[in-house]
Structure formats: structure tokens, C-alpha cells
Amino acid sequence: MGSARSLDTRVGKGRMPGSTEEKETVGYRPLLFSIAYGMTGSVGDAEDIVQDAFLGLSRAHQEGTVIVNPKAYLTTAVTRLGINYLSSARVRRETYVGDWLPEPVVVPADRPGPAEQAELADSLSMAFLVLLEALSPVERAVFMLREVFGYDYPEVARITGKSEVNCRQIFARARQRIAAGGQVADSTPPRERRAEGEKLARRFFEAAAGGDMDALLGMLAPDVVLHGDGGGKVQAFGKRLAGRLPVVRLLLGVFRRAGILGVSLRPAWVNGRPGAVKFDAEGRVIGVIELDIADGMVNAIHSVANPDKLAHIGMNSDMT
């Protein structure tokens, strides 16, 4: 698994859905992508997992297997493929250089897209996905299916291949670990909260670009944290930074340099949160910024600059 593709990939490679069932299963794609992405934190690998699940369904039909519930079949396949993926990805995550952040799911600010359609929004924010990293693959699957997607315990047990009693125990343990990290899954914010987030994000980026320290200090929570993911391949914020003044100083320096180099920002929704995509003077992608906003303040900033995590958005810049 590896290459990132467009989010509107279709059933079967180069193949339009034909039968009634195929047309129906295409509608499951947003949900399946959400589950796969929540398991992997990778857009490209999530797409590959969904594609593999559809190919498995196609093979089952060709072999004469009767699939009574295609949605249940696909959900189970995606979840178990996600568990297998995490088991093999564990070593890579442990040796990752610097802060690990998920590949961003980016939707232009002026139109709806996969982050809304796929039931993503706040439930799969960067902060939440980072917390999920503390869970084992099975714990992550059980917790997500139950907490984020609302499956009942019998369904969770069927999908994961565990007993219902075991799933209840796994979920309780996982929820306790996530709560200890300071967050549980949020529900999708109402439209008014979305509008407030857009307004604050616009003011935030304008203040940063204009070098307005006082305005930035007024928008950041006292315990604000900045996370940067460069994967050891580009200049990025090395260690996570905490506190208003250190964060503001770093932001002003970064944006001052960006202005000199002709960098531009385009507002976007990143994992269901307000943010922006950074472009160089030639229009190539430099990075993505996500703002976690609560109670009218920015309490966390996530910045992804690792080019491997941006290929699905556009051509990577060679700016470091």
C-alpha cells in the first residue's frame, strides 16, 4: 500500500458501477474510507484498503459466494485490513523522526467534500487520531466502531471477530486510555460553530501574516500546543512547543520567512477543522495547518510538512 489517489476512486480499477448492487455499494465508500482512515491515519493507505475490500467482494461474487449484506461484508473487510495494517506499521511509527501526525484530509473552505460526507469532521481530527496511536490495533478498531461510528456491541463483535463480552472489555479499556489523554471523540459541530471557527481562523492567519503579536496572543489559549510533522525530511518544528509566547514567537518567524519567499495560504477544512494549505510561489504544496478551536480560542496547532503526507493534495514544493 502506498500511492495516494483521488478520493473519488471507483469500484474496480477503471470500471464504472453497473449492477444495482455495485451502484449501491459505491454509496458505502465514504463510510468505508472514514473507518480505514481512522485506522491508518493515511489517506493513500485508506484508499488502498477500501479498494482491496471492493476487490475482495468482486472475487467472492465471481466464486459464486452469496453476500447477503454487502455493507457488512465491506465494513468487516476494511476493519480487519486496517488491523493488519497497524500491526505491520507499528515498527515504522516507533522509528518515525519527530512528531507523527496523520496525513491531512483537506477540503477547500468554499465547498463541501469527503471530510463532511464521510462522517469525518471532529471525530477524526488530528488530535484525536494522535490519541488513538496509544491503542493496540484491535482496541483502536473496537473503540472507533463503537464510539465514532455508533455500532452496537453485537456488530462490533461480528466485525472484529471477538466475542461481545470481550468487545465490551476492550472498549472500556480503550476509552479509559483515551480519556487519560484528555479527549474523547466529539460529535460533528453545529453550523454556528463551523462559522465561528472559520472567522477565528481567518483572523489568526491574517494576524500571523501581518506580524501582529498582540492579536495572536489574544487568540491563543494559555496552554496552546504546536505540533509539527516534517518526518525528518524538511524543516519543521522539531519538538512540540507549548505556551502562548513561545508559539507566537515561532509563528511570527515562520510567517515572516514565508512572506519573503512568496508563500501563500489557501483556507481549507483539515480533518473537519479550520485550517489552510501553504503554497510556494509556483503554486506547489509546502504544508498544511490545522487549528483546534474551543471556547473561541486556538488550543492546538497541527502543521504537516512531510512531503510523503502531502502528495495526495498536489505537487510537492522543493522548499525546505
Side-chain angles (χ1 to χ4, degrees):
M1 295 180 191
S3 63
R5 298 183 298 275
S6 167
L7 290 184
D8 70 352
T9 48
R10 300 182 183 278
V11 178
K13 294 184 178 179
R15 176 174 159 222
M16 290 292 290
S19 68
T20 301
E21 183 185 71
E22 283 181 321
K23 292 176 182 178
E24 179 183 342
T25 56
V26 168
Y28 302 146
R29 214 170 248 284
L31 171 63
L32 298 172
F33 172 80
S34 293
I35 294 172
Y37 176 71
M39 290 294 292
T40 66
S42 166
V43 172
D45 289 334
E47 291 171 349
D48 286 342
I49 283 174
V50 172
Q51 187 68 25
D52 286 346
F54 275 112
L55 290 174
L57 179 64
S58 178
R59 282 194 298 268
H61 284 316
Q62 291 170 5
E63 293 167 359
T65 304
V66 177
I67 307 297
V68 177
N69 188 336
K71 182 180 180 181
Y73 176 96
L74 291 167
T75 302
T76 300
V78 163
T79 301
R80 295 189 183 183
L81 285 168
I83 290 172
N84 292 339
Y85 169 95
L86 283 178
S87 298
S88 63
R90 185 69 62 182
V91 174
R92 296 199 302 274
R93 298 283 172 86
E94 289 173 351
T95 58
Y96 194 81
V97 178
D99 255 2
W100 179 91
L101 294 175
E103 285 184 11
V105 174
V106 175
V107 178
D110 58 354
R111 77 167 191 261
E116 290 175 307
Q117 299 170 357
E119 306 168 18
L120 216 56
D122 284 352
S123 295
L124 294 180
S125 69
M126 287 198 176
F128 184 61
L129 287 172
V130 170
L131 283 176
L132 292 182
E133 287 292 296
L135 303 180
S136 72
V138 173
E139 285 177 335
R140 186 164 178 159
V142 169
F143 183 79
M144 280 191 48
L145 290 170
R146 177 68 181 147
E147 182 76 8
V148 178
F149 298 104
Y151 284 93
D152 59 28
Y153 284 112
E155 290 176 305
V156 174
R158 175 187 54 76
I159 292 170
T160 59
K162 305 293 181 181
S163 71
E164 186 176 335
V165 172
N166 196 8
C167 284
R168 289 179 183 275
Q169 294 170 340
I170 291 171
F171 177 77
R173 184 169 63 246
R175 186 175 176 83
Q176 187 175 37
R177 293 178 69 181
I178 291 295
Q183 181 179 333
V184 294
D186 297 322
S187 59
T188 303
R191 291 186 181 275
E192 53 268 27
R193 272 190 58 198
R194 179 184 173 108
E196 289 172 5
E198 285 182 319
K199 184 176 180 181
L200 181 57
R202 186 168 57 251
R203 287 172 45 222
F204 174 87
F205 289 121
E206 288 174 353
D212 192 336
M213 177 180 278
D214 289 338
L216 282 175
L217 288 170
M219 285 183 269
L220 297 179
D223 56 352
V224 64
V225 180
L226 188 152
H227 306 263
D229 179 348
K233 300 186 177 184
V234 298
Q235 279 187 359
F237 317 114
K239 297 180 179 178
R240 65 188 63 185
L241 208 58
R244 276 180 178 151
L245 199 54
V247 169
V248 166
R249 284 174 175 163
L250 179 59
L251 285 173
L252 291 178
V254 169
F255 275 81
R256 187 181 304 114
R257 179 174 180 267
I260 295 171
L261 296 175
V263 173
S264 61
L265 264 70
R266 189 174 302 166
W269 284 92
V270 182
N271 289 55
R273 301 290 178 96
V277 181
K278 297 165 62 178
F279 296 90
D280 66 13
E282 283 73 46
R284 297 171 299 184
V285 177
I286 300 172
V288 171
I289 301 174
E290 180 216 52
L291 304 179
D292 277 356
I293 296 173
D295 300 322
M297 306 284 281
V298 176
N299 55 42
I301 303 167
H302 298 90
S303 176
V304 179
N306 183 345
D308 294 341
K309 298 185 177 184
L310 302 174
H312 62 287
I313 300 172
M315 182 179 294
N316 287 140
S317 172
D318 56 9
M319 185 181 296
T320 57

